[in-house]
Amino acid sequence: MNSTSDAQQSDTAQQCGTGVSMLPCQGAADLFHRYPGEFTEQPVYVVLDLCSGYLYADWAGEISGTPIEVHTGFVRRFPIPPLAGEAANRLLAEVAPLAGRMLADWSREFDGHNTVAVLGPDASAAETEIEALTSLRGQDVPMADLVQAWDIEGATNGGEVEEFGITATTTDGRLAEIEAEILLSLSSCAEGAPTVCPGLGGYLEGLRQELIHQRNIERGIERDQR
């Protein structure tokens, strides 16, 4: 699980009375992730682990390929858009009874190559219902229920140094506050939806670095003049 640590699992798991342990999203933008250097965000899934009973929503940790536990069927994944935390938790609550039916009707079998998970008839029917339910969540989703992603060009205006008073001595803490202020402003343009801007922190750090470089040049000129 990428957005939930091992230590958090036992603290946050909600027992659903069907053998399902639901792990709710903790943050509004937990389901958005873009690796450095990548141009697209990671796919997002509702995930059911047949062995542990955990049901949760998460982004895929792999950039390519399929994890072996998914390939062998022990972990079932259902694609969804990058929902806001509360919207994802509402969906998990709807999926939980169906997930319970899946947990009650599966077995391990050797297929000649690997040990795989095989669903019984009721589990297969429940999985089909989950697929239909998660598919619907990908259609006509209200803006407030989706994590909104902005690129640097759309999120900034080039005037942040003057607007926020950034200097060569601006602290990391203040840069983090400025980043949060910008994201809050962007969120207000998106019906209050959780908002992310990959690279925004680095952009602000770059502005400070330019000011540090400029200050050092000016100090060097002053020394030469003396």
Side-chain angles (χ1 to χ4, degrees):
M1 279 162 268
N2 302 299
S3 56
T4 304
S5 70
D6 291 339
Q8 289 176 312
Q9 290 178 24
S10 58
D11 293 335
T12 62
Q14 298 178 5
Q15 303 302 319
C16 300
T18 55
V20 176
S21 296
M22 191 176 83
L23 296 171
C25 293
Q26 299 299 302
D30 280 356
L31 298 185
F32 181 94
H33 185 78
R34 183 182 299 167
Y35 283 115
E38 296 295 316
F39 297 102
T40 58
E41 58 269 23
Q42 291 300 104
V44 180
Y45 301 95
V46 165
V47 183
L48 175 63
D49 187 323
L50 296 178
C51 298
S52 67
Y54 282 132
L55 173 68
Y56 55 96
D58 204 358
W59 47 269
E62 70 280 356
I63 292 178
S64 62
T66 302
I68 185 62
E69 61 270 18
V70 175
H71 179 72
T72 53
F74 292 103
V75 171
R76 321 297 285 204
R77 300 201 299 193
F78 308 89
I80 59 171
L83 294 173
E86 290 186 1
N89 291 340
R90 292 196 300 270
L91 175 59
L92 290 175
E94 292 182 59
V95 168
L98 299 169
R101 288 168 53 190
M102 292 184 65
L103 293 182
D105 186 32
W106 71 279
S107 60
R108 300 171 186 264
E109 295 185 13
F110 185 68
D111 68 357
H113 300 282
N114 298 291
T115 299
V116 298
V118 177
L119 301 183
D122 188 55
S124 295
E127 183 170 56
T128 299
E129 291 184 54
I130 295 175
E131 290 170 345
L133 188 59
T134 53
S135 177
L136 285 175
R137 284 302 189 278
Q139 303 173 18
D140 300 323
V141 183
M143 181 178 290
D145 282 352
L146 284 173
V147 178
Q148 302 295 318
W150 291 67
D151 57 27
I152 293 294
E153 290 74 17
T156 59
N157 56 26
E160 287 75 25
V161 168
E162 294 78 15
E163 181 178 355
F164 296 101
I166 298 173
T167 69
T169 58
T170 298
T171 65
D172 290 346
R174 177 54 187 151
L175 288 182
E177 291 174 355
I178 294 170
E179 181 178 3
E181 290 177 40
I182 294 173
L183 291 177
L184 182 61
S185 176
L186 295 174
S187 178
S188 67
C189 300
E191 301 179 6
T195 303
V196 296
C197 179
L200 178 57
Y203 168 81
L204 295 173
E205 290 173 8
L207 294 179
R208 180 181 61 184
Q209 193 60 39
E210 289 179 10
L211 293 168
I212 292 173
H213 181 65
Q214 180 179 340
R215 180 193 62 185
N216 291 341
I217 290 176
E218 291 172 352
R219 286 178 176 176
I221 292 175
E222 290 175 0
R223 286 196 297 269
D224 291 344
Q225 289 175 342
R226 289 198 298 268

